[in-house]
């Protein structure tokens, strides 16, 4: 059938109101194969012919990504049979139990990412080990199983069964002690592993209480092919020697001469905890063997000075990503000396480093590679840096959360050449509606490229600022205005207006209204279909939008099977808090 005949057939079937009467070859090749995974799965629920056609279309995929939304069990049962060509699977498992997950496993699976597994037991570990002998990449997010002994047994079975494993990332959320799981890693972790990520989600690591010399010794001596190492702990109290990581442990990592990515982070929630037994000498010793690092991420270093951080920038000539968090002694000095005007970094993240100011950014404008700049929590960074930042032609992500920027600084950014797609101004207390207007009316690149904007916690933002965003930010797909107390129902009406989509702009997919106390329950009607037709996530925690009860919220979701409506105050997308938050589903 030529293209003209196909078009006539399609128009004839469309006029009859029954797309499923299309010839299967036309339906699959010319229509279904052009849809994304999410839409294809949704189409499969419409009718039996479309379900069969969608399944046939899906059978041609070698990769399946269902992480953009949380599929329900019926959708998984209907659309994810055991396709022989499916080698890579990514699933948001928020609403799935063991049975539905184990049914998608098989020897054909080489990469498996199971995210937000709030209802899965540790038995899924054993099932993966039994069913996926060719698995090379595993990412798994589990909740606390409540039975460490059973968990460790299932973990050992996973490691024994997946002898070809190259990349392992396991996260667990809970309060139980899984320290014995460290022995499973020590005894059964395949030498083929090149990427290892172990980090906590709530309070402690999956396999250890703290990052210690003992753990690092085992990793350095057991994994000769290690390319990437990502470790993060979150201890309840400050660890002491010999349980803590010291310079000696850090030096042992110099044996991993193939290492290209290193992440060692100590984070905290309720009380400050640091790596107090690592100083500049630890990094000097590490870098004697690890000079090929392309990515370095460190956090919680209290006594490492500019000399230690500078040694990383000086020794690692291939460094593309550099991230430092909660460093008490990092100042502008080492950054000015080692970055200067010839910065070759792609990502630079300096988070909650209290000694940093705008000074180190004055010469960074000549960078031809920098794409991500994160200065969140650096409260002494101010407007002075934005002239240089706005001249970086490659910059697409800028985070200034909590910085001392003002409306005048946003005016400079709005006139610049940086094609910024993601901008975070959260808790920038000196920003007002006027600053938003200057940012988007500046005729620079950002008014055309901005797709993700976070202006949460700014008291100076009102309906006027939201109207500016609605009118001028045509590419916007994600907006967070949480804790903007001066925003009222008028802003929701404005965002629902079709005028903001003129020019081919994207539809709003994620909207965070948490703690917007100026909104009334009447806004619930504005949020209903056909308004916000592309919405996939909506945060309404601690607002009057919940006053009408769960029935009204469920009605809001009834025409959007892929919408998650979060009442728990989670960050956008429920990336954090996936186990405990409440979400209303259709």
């Amino acid at each position: 059938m030529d293209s003209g005949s196909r078009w006539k057939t399609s128009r004839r079937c469309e006029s009859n109101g029954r797309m499923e009467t299309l010839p299967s070859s036309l339906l699959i090749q010319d229509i279904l194969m052009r849809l994304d995974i999410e839409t294809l799965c949704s189409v499969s629920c419409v009718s039996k012919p479309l379900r069969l056609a969608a399944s046939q279309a899906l059978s041609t995929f070698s990769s399946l990504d269902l992480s953009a939304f949380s599929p329900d069990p019926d959708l998984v049962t209907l659309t994810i049979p055991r396709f022989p060509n499916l080698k890579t699977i990514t699933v948001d498992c928020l609403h799935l139990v063991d049975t539905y997950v184990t049914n998608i496993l098989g020897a054909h699976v080489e990469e498996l990412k199971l995210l937000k597994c709030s209802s899965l037991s540790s038995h899924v570990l054993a099932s993966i080990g039994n069913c996926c002998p060719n698995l090379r990449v595993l990412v798994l997010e589990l909740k606390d199983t409540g039975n460490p002994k059973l968990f460790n047994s299932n973990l050992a079975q996973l490691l024994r069964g997946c002898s070809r494993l190259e990349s392992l990332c396991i996260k667990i959320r809970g309060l139980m002690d899984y320290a014995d799981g460290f022995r499973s890693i020590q005894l059964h972790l395949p030498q083929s592993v090149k990427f290892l990520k172990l980090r906590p989600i709530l309070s402690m690591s999956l396999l250890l209480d703290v990052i210690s010399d003992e753990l690092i010794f085992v990793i350095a001596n057991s994994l000769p092919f290690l390319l990437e190492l990502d470790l993060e702990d979150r201890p309840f109290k400050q660890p002491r020697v010999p349980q803590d990581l010291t310079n000696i442990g850090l030096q042992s990592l110099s044996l991993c001469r193939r290492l290209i990515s290193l992440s060692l982070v100590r984070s905290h929630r309720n009380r400050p905890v640091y790596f107090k037994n690592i100083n500049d000498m630890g990094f000097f010793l590490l870098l004697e063997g690890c000079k090929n690092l392309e990515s370095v991420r460190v956090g919680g270093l209290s006594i490492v000075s500019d000399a230690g951080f500078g040694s990383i920038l000086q020794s690692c000539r291939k460094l593309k990503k550099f991230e430092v968090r909660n460093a008490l002694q990092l100042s502008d000095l080492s950054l000015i000396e080692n970055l200067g005007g010839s910065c070759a970094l792609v990502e630079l993240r300096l988070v909650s480093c209290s000694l940093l100011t705008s000074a180190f950014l004055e010469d960074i404008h000549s960078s031809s590679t920098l794409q991500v700049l994160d200065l969140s929590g650096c409260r002494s960074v101010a407007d002075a840096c934005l002239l240089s930042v706005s001249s970086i032609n490659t910059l697409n992500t800028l985070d200034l959360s909590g910085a001392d920027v003002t409306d005048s600084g946003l005016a400079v950014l709005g006139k610049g050449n940086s094609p910024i797609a993601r901008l975070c101004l959260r808790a920038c207390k000196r920003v007002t509606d006027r600053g938003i207007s200057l940012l988007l009316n500046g005729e620079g690149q950002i008014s055309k490229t901005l797709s993700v904007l976070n202006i949460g916690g700014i008291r100076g933002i009102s309906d006027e600022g939201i109207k500016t965003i609605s009118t001028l930010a045509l590419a916007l797909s994600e907006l967070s205005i949480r804790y903007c107390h001066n925003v009222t129902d008028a802003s929701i009406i404005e965002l629902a207006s079709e005028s903001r989509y003129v020019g081919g702009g994207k539809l709003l997919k994620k909207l965070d209204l948490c703690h917007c106390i100026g909104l009334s329950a009447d806004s619930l009607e504005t949020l209903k279909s056909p308004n916000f037709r592309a919405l996939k996530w909506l945060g309404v925690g601690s607002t009057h939008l919940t006053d009408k009860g769960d029935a009204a919220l469920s009605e809001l979701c009834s025409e959007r099977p892929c919408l998650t409506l979060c009442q728990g105050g989670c960050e956008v997308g429920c990336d954090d808090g996936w186990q405990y938050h409440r979400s209303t589903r259709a």
Side-chain angles (χ1 to χ4, degrees):
M1 184 182 297
D2 59 30
S3 58
S5 300
R6 286 178 182 272
W7 183 84
K8 292 179 181 178
T9 303
S10 175
R11 293 294 297 172
R12 183 166 59 253
C13 293
E14 182 180 330
S15 64
N16 292 334
R18 297 191 62 190
M19 182 175 288
E20 58 265 40
T21 61
L22 286 167
S24 59
S25 59
L26 175 62
L27 181 61
I28 295 171
Q29 296 176 18
D30 285 14
I31 299 178
L32 296 185
M33 289 299 293
R34 298 185 180 184
L35 302 178
D36 57 43
I37 294 293
E38 183 178 344
T39 307
L40 196 55
C41 290
S42 300
V43 165
S44 69
C45 300
V46 175
S47 65
K48 184 175 181 180
L50 282 176
R51 181 163 65 249
L52 295 174
S55 295
Q56 187 174 346
L58 282 170
S59 67
T60 64
F61 285 84
S62 61
S63 177
L64 183 64
D65 189 343
L66 297 181
S67 62
F69 66 107
S70 303
D72 57 31
D74 291 338
L75 188 60
V76 171
T77 301
L78 293 173
T79 60
I80 316 182
R82 294 186 178 181
F83 296 132
N85 295 324
L86 203 57
K87 296 182 179 181
T88 301
I89 303 176
T90 302
V91 183
D92 182 327
C93 300
L94 189 63
H95 301 287
L96 304 179
V97 296
D98 288 10
T99 303
Y100 298 99
V101 172
T102 54
N103 285 339
I104 69 176
L105 303 178
H108 55 283
V109 180
E110 297 180 5
E111 297 186 18
L112 181 63
K113 299 179 182 180
L114 302 179
L115 312 177
K116 303 180 183 178
C117 304
S118 61
S119 300
L120 297 189
S121 71
S122 67
H123 291 294
V124 73
L125 294 166
S127 298
I128 295 171
N130 292 332
C131 300
C132 304
N134 297 312
L135 195 66
R136 296 184 298 103
V137 177
L138 175 62
V139 176
L140 187 61
E141 296 178 350
L142 282 173
K143 70 171 184 177
D144 173 22
T145 65
N147 189 333
K149 184 176 180 180
L150 180 61
F151 175 88
N152 294 329
S153 174
N154 288 324
L155 175 62
Q157 192 165 345
L158 163 71
L159 296 175
R160 285 194 299 266
C162 300
S163 59
R164 300 184 179 182
L165 202 62
E166 296 179 6
S167 178
L168 175 63
C169 173
I170 301 181
K171 305 177 184 179
I172 191 166
R173 181 165 193 163
L175 298 173
M176 297 298 291
D177 183 359
Y178 290 89
D180 286 343
F182 166 70
R183 295 177 178 83
S184 294
I185 285 286
Q186 183 176 3
L187 295 174
H188 304 293
L189 192 64
Q191 285 195 352
S192 58
V193 169
K194 300 177 181 178
F195 310 95
L196 180 61
K197 175 184 285 189
L198 307 174
R199 59 171 57 181
I201 298 180
L202 179 62
S203 60
M204 65 173 57
S205 171
L206 165 64
L207 301 174
L208 62 157
D209 293 318
V210 297
I211 300 173
S212 64
D213 283 350
E214 183 185 6
L215 174 66
I216 300 299
F217 291 157
V218 170
I219 292 173
N221 290 285
S222 302
L223 303 176
F225 303 108
L226 192 65
L227 296 177
E228 296 188 11
L229 178 62
D230 187 335
L231 301 176
E232 181 174 340
D233 64 7
R234 194 172 297 160
F236 288 111
K237 60 183 180 180
Q238 184 63 51
R240 297 181 179 179
V241 178
Q243 288 79 26
D244 203 4
L245 180 64
T246 70
N247 288 343
I248 297 175
L250 201 57
Q251 181 184 13
S252 70
L253 277 180
S254 63
L255 298 174
C256 302
R257 296 184 178 274
R258 301 189 182 193
L259 204 63
I260 61 173
S261 178
L262 175 63
S263 178
L264 293 173
V265 175
R266 174 156 293 166
S267 56
H268 59 268
R269 286 186 179 270
N270 299 321
R271 63 176 64 185
V273 287
Y274 297 96
F275 289 114
K276 290 190 174 182
N277 297 293
I278 295 178
N279 56 30
D280 295 340
M281 182 58 66
F283 283 98
F284 297 159
L285 297 172
L286 167 71
L287 294 170
E288 287 182 358
C290 297
K291 295 185 177 181
N292 293 318
L293 287 170
E294 298 176 11
S295 174
V296 174
R297 178 175 181 262
V298 291
L301 298 169
S302 61
I303 59 176
V304 176
S305 72
D306 287 331
F309 294 115
S311 67
I312 299 173
L313 296 169
Q314 290 174 3
S315 300
C316 304
R317 299 298 182 183
K318 298 180 181 179
L319 194 66
K320 301 299 181 184
K321 300 179 181 179
F322 185 55
E323 178 175 344
V324 180
R325 292 177 172 268
N326 299 309
L328 300 186
Q329 297 193 36
L330 175 64
S331 73
D332 297 329
L333 181 61
S334 65
L335 298 173
I336 291 174
E337 290 181 351
N338 296 291
L339 292 180
S342 58
C343 175
L345 295 175
V346 175
E347 293 187 14
L348 177 60
R349 301 180 185 269
L350 306 170
V351 179
S352 298
C353 297
S354 57
L355 296 182
L356 291 182
T357 71
S358 301
F360 81 93
L361 289 166
E362 291 181 359
D363 293 327
I364 205 170
H365 62 275
S366 61
S367 171
S368 60
T369 58
L370 193 64
Q371 298 177 15
V372 177
L373 179 60
D374 185 350
L375 302 173
S376 55
C378 297
R379 301 188 180 278
S380 296
V381 170
D383 291 344
C385 72
L386 293 181
L387 181 60
S388 295
V389 170
S390 65
S391 301
I392 304 175
N393 295 328
T394 53
L395 192 67
N396 59 48
T397 300
L398 177 62
D399 193 334
L400 296 170
S401 302
D404 191 30
V405 298
T406 69
D407 293 345
S408 298
L410 294 187
V412 174
L413 195 62
K415 297 177 182 178
N417 297 321
S418 299
I420 298 172
R422 305 177 67 90
L423 175 64
C424 184
L425 300 172
R426 186 170 179 170
C428 291
K429 298 179 180 179
R430 301 176 67 187
V431 169
T432 68
D433 292 335
R434 178 174 176 271
I436 299 299
S437 178
L438 292 170
L439 176 72
L440 296 176
N441 275 300
E443 298 182 354
Q445 289 296 312
I446 193 169
S447 62
K448 306 177 184 67
T449 58
L450 188 64
S451 63
V452 178
L453 176 62
N454 188 332
I455 50 174
I458 304 180
R459 294 183 179 181
I461 297 296
S462 68
D463 294 334
E464 182 180 349
I466 303 302
K467 182 177 181 180
T468 300
I469 294 169
S470 176
T471 304
L472 299 178
L474 299 179
L476 199 68
S477 63
E478 181 178 316
L479 176 64
S480 175
I481 53 177
R482 59 193 295 134
Y483 286 100
C484 288
H485 295 165
N486 294 321
V487 169
T488 70
D489 295 353
S491 290
I492 307 302
I493 295 173
E494 182 63 39
L495 289 171
S497 173
E498 287 297 316
S499 63
R500 70 180 302 274
Y501 304 133
V502 174
K506 298 178 181 178
L507 300 176
L508 203 61
K509 295 181 179 179
K510 295 180 181 179
L511 178 61
D512 188 355
L513 304 173
C514 294
H515 296 275
C516 289
I517 58 177
L519 300 177
S520 74
D522 294 337
S523 283
L524 211 58
E525 293 298 319
T526 309
L527 288 164
K528 290 181 179 179
S529 183
N531 296 331
F532 297 99
R533 57 184 182 273
L535 206 60
K536 295 295 185 294
W537 187 91
L538 176 63
V540 296
S542 300
T543 67
H544 293 297
L545 296 173
T546 62
D547 289 353
K548 294 186 177 181
D550 288 344
L553 296 176
S554 296
E555 183 182 352
L556 178 63
C557 300
S558 61
E559 296 182 3
R560 297 186 177 104
C562 295
L563 173 66
T564 294
L565 192 149
C566 177
Q567 304 176 59
C570 299
E571 296 293 338
V572 175
C574 299
D575 294 326
D576 187 27
W578 53 267
Q579 182 181 351
Y580 301 112
H581 83 287
R582 292 183 63 199
S583 65
T584 301
R585 293 288 298 246

